[in-house]
Amino acid sequence: MSVIATPQSLPPARIAPSILSADFACLGEEVRNVLAAGADWIHFDVMDNHFVPNLTIGPMVCEAIRPHVGQAPIDVHLMVEPVDALVPMFAKAGASLISFHPEASRHVDRTLSLIRDHGCQAGLVFNPATPLDWMDHVMDKLDLVLLMSVNPGFGGQKFLPSTLPKLRAVRQRIDQWIQQGGQPIALEVDGGVKADNIAEIRAAGADTFVAGSAIFGQSDYAASISAMRAEILKADSLQA
């Protein structure tokens, strides 16, 4: 029997600012400031100019910001191919969660196990056109599902509305899994998330929200995060 998520069943919302939009000239300060402003996780986008058309940051930068993060999780999103060689490097550098795209791994189950064996939580990332079937055979190894609500590679893109029904489908799978005795699995969304649309994203089942320019592109980080949380509360109250 299918289980439809209600706001009461959703985990508390987490805001995960993406440092891809931060000022790299003072990255340690940026991370400290955004956490002080109320962020929960730090989202760390890794692009290789191969799997996606951009080149960003690697394990050395993760290791450099780790002392500035305190106890907050560093959520590493690998947009790279191949994946496995980077897993131990990011685990050593201080990553808390490591997620990857199934298309970038020859053995998805093995890569998920590798991440967990190195002491990190493991996640799968789904591009807008990637089918959800990949997750059905590895639910026992998932701590996170990340839905891309843009095509990855660049920040500042607009949210794709087609993500909403996909979100609802993932939420249904996760709820069924938990009802059957499985472990909790976070449901994260990345791409074009802002205060104007975060309520409908929450209503569709998301519990973790990546935001780049919607936070780092603003002058007041705390006000931006507070505005997002207010909209999330509205979504929860409307569907209660």
Side-chain angles (χ1 to χ4, degrees):
M1 178 180 175
S2 298
V3 178
I4 303 300
T6 64
Q8 298 97 314
S9 68
L10 291 177
R14 290 175 290 248
I15 305 294
S18 170
I19 62 171
L20 187 63
S21 298
D23 183 350
F24 274 53
C26 48
L27 197 51
E29 181 182 357
E30 287 275 70
V31 167
R32 293 195 305 272
N33 288 344
V34 80
L35 289 171
D40 301 293
W41 293 4
I42 294 298
H43 190 76
F44 194 102
D45 286 311
V46 184
M47 305 182 189
D48 65 356
N49 198 34
H50 172 66
F51 185 72
V52 292
N54 201 353
L55 185 64
T56 59
I57 46 181
M60 291 177 66
V61 177
C62 184
E63 185 176 15
I65 69 167
R66 183 72 259 183
H68 299 275
V69 170
Q71 298 300 310
I74 297 179
D75 172 29
V76 174
H77 171 197
L78 296 179
M79 289 167 270
V80 304
E81 186 180 10
V83 176
D84 291 4
L86 284 177
V87 168
M89 297 169 68
F90 272 102
K92 185 179 179 182
S96 309
L97 307 96
I98 300 176
S99 57
F100 66 96
H101 294 251
E103 302 97 323
S105 170
R106 296 201 173 211
H107 303 282
V108 171
D109 183 273
R110 186 177 297 162
T111 301
L112 290 169
S113 295
L114 178 67
I115 294 169
R116 287 178 146 209
D117 288 346
H118 279 83
C120 298
Q121 292 190 314
L124 276 184
V125 189
F126 294 87
N127 283 339
T130 303
L132 297 175
D133 298 357
W134 289 96
M135 66 183 289
D136 293 337
H137 307 286
V138 293
M139 293 288 284
D140 60 319
K141 292 183 173 67
L142 287 177
D143 300 292
L144 172 78
V145 172
L146 170 53
L147 290 192
M148 295 303 299
S149 41
V150 298
N151 286 295
F154 300 94
Q157 299 184 64
K158 290 184 178 180
F159 179 86
L160 294 174
S162 57
T163 308
L164 296 173
K166 201 170 185 180
L167 260 174
R168 288 188 282 268
V170 177
R171 172 52 60 191
Q172 188 171 5
R173 279 170 158 89
I174 290 173
D175 285 351
Q176 286 180 308
W177 174 254
I178 293 173
Q179 186 184 52
Q180 294 163 6
Q183 78 285 355
I185 301 171
L187 179 48
E188 186 173 33
V189 177
D190 181 3
V193 176
K194 52 188 178 179
D196 292 349
N197 60 17
I198 201 168
E200 61 181 346
I201 298 170
R202 173 65 166 183
D207 54 57
T208 307
F209 305 86
V210 177
S213 56
I215 295 175
F216 283 113
Q218 309 304 311
S219 59
D220 189 333
Y221 297 168
S224 300
I225 293 172
S226 294
M228 290 181 174
R229 292 199 189 280
E231 291 299 314
I232 289 168
L233 286 174
K234 284 182 187 177
D236 287 354
S237 63
L238 286 173
Q239 298 191 36

